[in-house]
Amino acid sequence: MPNQAKSAFPQTLNSQLPYDMAIALLEGFDRHYRLFRAESARAKHRFETQDWVGQQRAQRERIEFYDLRVREAVTRLEREFKASKQTHETWQQVKLHFIGLLVDHHQPELAETFFNSVTTKILHRSYFHNDFIFVRPAVSTEYIQNENPAKPTYRVYYPTHQTMRDSVSRLIVDFNLQCTFVDLARDIDRLQAAMLQRFDHTRLRPNFQFQVLSSLFFRNKGAYIVGRIINGFQEVPFALAVLHDSNGQLYVDAALFTEDEILILFSFARAYFMVDMEVPSAYVQFLRQMMPRKPRTEIYNALGLAKQGKTLFYRDLLAHQRQSTDRFRIAPGIKGMVMLVFDQPSFPFVFKVIKDYYPPQKDTTREQIKGKYLLVKQHDRVGRMADTLEYSDVAFPLSRFEPELIEEIKKFAPSQLEISEAGDNGDPEVIIKHCYIERRMIPLNIYLQEAFDALQVDPEDARARAQLNQAVVEYGNAIKDLVAANIFPGDMLWKNFGITRHGKVVFYDYDEIEYITDCNFRRVPEPRNEEEEMSGEVWYTVGPKDVFPETFGPFLLGNPRVRQEFLRHHQDLLDAAFWQTHQARIRAGHVHDVFPYEATSRLRDPVPST
């Protein structure tokens, strides 16, 4: 590779220094991706040995790999090359040499992002344009080939009517899992029956095939086989969930066949997969064909490549600003006490800035709040906590901000606002010093209010009643899934939850979350006398970690319709015993099953034809 780089960019009188710096940068990235990939590959052994605690720990620790390698690269460049002292011309040559080194690289887009991460920690903001960093990609990721014929990006099977069952068997067996299946023949029969319902198997076209990504997707207790069925003009995505039974043997638990089911599997509200990938862009391209509505940024995130997801998101944001004309505004809804939230109506994300000042009841600090968001980033989000993108020094044209929003930031978060009189284009800029960005959802309180309003007009409105009931049931389900993941939301008000396009309720306000195991769940003590019974104040002692579940009702269930539906499905959430039981289970080391599919996707024996 160095020889190719030299031929691409001939050495000039002072080119050895920038060339050596480019080599150091690429070596830093290669070390990062080698370690990242090794940890991802070890997920297979952890799955086989049912090391669930180790799997969760590895998922958390792998998130930190990138920043560690960036710091190592920065230290090396400063120590060996005094990088921050180098001239504009030197850094331009460093970038050109780096591009040359990526000519035959298998992860060029990730390497470009690593280059940006390192150089932006060394250079001044005035360098943050395409001459010095990769504002736009310089190396194409199209048609990158994995040179290892034993493990291509995906394997292809060409079944016939006679060999269909054998092909279904091989697409499972070829992953070489070192565990026995309870009854693989049964699983194959069930799976083949489910597959045959999804395409016209009576007429197999010349191109009929199964394409299966050659690495398993591991997350928590599950291993997922991901692929697609192609028959003529028909393409059917699929994902198969492989689990252990109580005796440690394997079975195929579920088969997902629709784009919506696959989207939920790869949801932004779930932990990142562990996948061993030589050419990640090829995996992303394959998955995009299965989920054309899912942005590439979210697919990279789901694969554990969150920094690449951030890079693509920022490019999408800049492109949207060039094509849109609407302004950033204060986000509609109830304002938070800790976070200042703004959005742009035409862009499906919200921007959250930590305020400088909090009311007395919020006993917290900026660092504590950032710690809560980091906890969520590293934790299993079980489909119930939105992923966040964290950015520093984000610049926007001042003209794209509503004046009311600027005044709001000046009032509540002045330390996070900088207004530059002359930005890159000579126009004034707003620089947000630190923010989190999340996918926009419909706040649950607004979603419920829409149902209430419709029922006020027509008490028999079946659609509004179903909307209300589904939201209340999903809200309780969300809390129970969070409990299973050892998360207590803290502030459980409806406004802190949102509805996704799939009707899932997701939590997104993290400043008060705690581990279930850190809380003290108590029943409200019986009053000792009439004075205590009639008191409007809390007359018993309350510790900083005390939680009284029976007191949730007055805050959450004021509406009779909501109360009725909630008590029908989730009355146990108001009982301290429910929380104490789960707390004990978690402390005992049990990892609860929270799988990303409905019971209807589970495989059952095929119904005999009549």
Side-chain angles (χ1 to χ4, degrees), residues 50 182 243-251:
Q50 301 181 76
V182 181
L243 307 179
H244 289 267
D245 71 1
S246 58
N247 296 317
Q249 293 182 298
L250 299 178
Y251 66 102

Side-chain angles (χ1 to χ4, degrees), residues 44 146 148-159 167-177 195 207-218 224-230 238 240 275-276 282-283 286 290:
K44 181 173 183 286
N146 186 348
N148 179 6
K151 194 171 184 181
T153 297
Y154 58 88
R155 291 190 284 262
V156 185
Y157 304 86
Y158 300 100
S167 293
V168 173
S169 174
R170 283 195 298 119
L171 74 82
I172 297 172
V173 173
D174 282 352
F175 286 102
N176 196 30
L177 285 164
M195 283 182 163
N207 69 337
F208 177 55
Q209 59 192 280
F210 300 152
Q211 296 180 353
V212 182
L213 286 167
S214 59
S215 288
L216 287 163
F217 288 62
F218 295 98
Y224 298 88
I225 299 169
V226 178
R228 58 184 174 230
I229 303 166
I230 299 175
F238 68 82
L240 313 179
V275 194
D276 179 18
Y283 274 69
F286 190 101
M290 296 174 62

Side-chain angles (χ1 to χ4, degrees), residues 312-351:
L312 293 176
F313 176 87
Y314 192 63
R315 289 171 180 165
D316 289 344
L317 174 60
L318 293 178
H320 182 81
Q321 299 314 305
R322 288 192 291 270
Q323 299 299 323
S324 62
T325 58
D326 56 334
R327 292 180 172 188
F328 289 99
R329 61 175 184 174
I330 301 169
I334 301 172
K335 293 181 180 180
M337 291 186 282
V338 168
M339 287 291 194
L340 186 154
V341 184
F342 65 92
D343 70 352
Q344 184 180 15
S346 63
F347 193 61
F349 292 85
V350 295
F351 298 73

Side-chain angles (χ1 to χ4, degrees), residues 54-342:
Q55 196 81 300
Q56 290 188 334
R57 181 175 61 251
Q59 286 176 299
R60 289 194 305 270
E61 292 176 351
R62 192 186 62 169
I63 291 171
E64 300 174 6
F65 281 13
Y66 188 87
D67 289 337
L68 291 172
R69 301 293 86 78
V70 167
R71 287 198 290 270
E72 288 175 4
V74 169
T75 300
R76 179 183 176 187
L77 286 168
E78 288 289 10
R79 183 181 66 246
E80 296 183 16
F81 307 106
K82 295 182 172 53
S84 59
K85 308 291 186 185
Q86 298 302 326
T87 65
H88 286 56
E89 292 75 16
T90 297
W91 275 107
Q92 284 179 306
Q93 289 185 50
V94 171
K95 182 183 174 184
L96 290 175
H97 283 298
F98 194 81
I99 294 171
L101 291 165
L102 298 182
V103 168
D104 288 322
H105 204 278
H106 285 177
Q107 306 95 30
E109 78 283 22
L110 308 187
E112 289 178 353
T113 290
F114 187 85
F115 182 98
N116 287 354
S117 298
V118 173
T119 54
T120 52
K121 289 190 177 300
I122 295 172
L123 302 177
H124 186 268
R125 275 199 81 255
S126 61
Y127 286 77
F128 294 7
H129 53 84
N130 206 46
D131 287 344
F132 301 99
I133 65 174
F134 294 93
V135 176
R136 297 185 297 276
V139 179
S140 172
T141 58
E142 295 293 318
Y143 306 113
I144 299 177
Q145 298 296 320
N146 186 348
E147 294 159 5
N148 179 6
K151 194 171 184 181
T153 297
Y154 58 88
R155 291 190 284 262
V156 185
Y157 304 86
Y158 300 100
T160 63
H161 282 295
Q162 293 74 28
T163 64
M164 185 89 70
R165 191 177 186 282
D166 178 63
S167 293
V168 173
S169 174
R170 283 195 298 119
L171 74 82
I172 297 172
V173 173
D174 282 352
F175 286 102
N176 196 30
L177 285 164
Q178 300 301 298
C179 304
T180 58
F181 277 78
V182 181
D183 188 344
L184 184 58
R186 175 204 65 189
D187 291 347
I188 292 166
D189 288 341
R190 291 174 171 177
L191 180 55
Q192 182 175 347
M195 283 182 163
L196 293 178
Q197 297 175 26
R198 300 292 171 163
F199 66 97
D200 182 10
H201 62 278
T202 62
R203 186 175 301 174
L204 300 185
R205 302 296 181 178
N207 69 337
F208 177 55
Q209 59 192 280
F210 300 152
Q211 296 180 353
V212 182
L213 286 167
S214 59
S215 288
L216 287 163
F217 288 62
F218 295 98
R219 185 168 61 200
N220 297 336
K221 291 185 176 182
Y224 298 88
I225 299 169
V226 178
R228 58 184 174 230
I229 303 166
I230 299 175
N231 188 41
F233 299 119
Q234 188 178 19
E235 291 193 16
V236 179
F238 68 82
L240 313 179
V242 180
L243 307 179
H244 289 267
D245 71 1
S246 58
N247 296 317
Q249 293 182 298
L250 299 178
Y251 66 102
V252 182
D253 181 60
L256 317 179
F257 290 106
T258 68
E259 183 186 353
D260 279 345
E261 289 175 319
I262 307 295
L263 283 167
I264 291 172
L265 177 65
F266 284 83
S267 168
F268 66 91
R270 294 198 174 270
Y272 306 141
F273 284 107
M274 287 206 161
V275 194
D276 179 18
M277 302 171 290
E278 172 66 22
V279 184
S281 60
Y283 274 69
V284 172
Q285 182 177 348
F286 190 101
L287 292 167
R288 277 276 284 171
Q289 291 172 334
M290 296 174 62
M291 301 176 285
R293 290 182 291 164
K294 194 165 191 67
R296 284 188 306 148
T297 176
E298 291 186 8
I299 297 177
Y300 273 104
N301 287 344
L303 297 175
L305 301 167
K307 297 298 181 180
Q308 185 62 23
K310 279 183 63 176
T311 294
L312 293 176
F313 176 87
Y314 192 63
R315 289 171 180 165
D316 289 344
L317 174 60
L318 293 178
H320 182 81
Q321 299 314 305
R322 288 192 291 270
Q323 299 299 323
S324 62
T325 58
D326 56 334
R327 292 180 172 188
F328 289 99
R329 61 175 184 174
I330 301 169
I334 301 172
K335 293 181 180 180
M337 291 186 282
V338 168
M339 287 291 194
L340 186 154
V341 184
F342 65 92

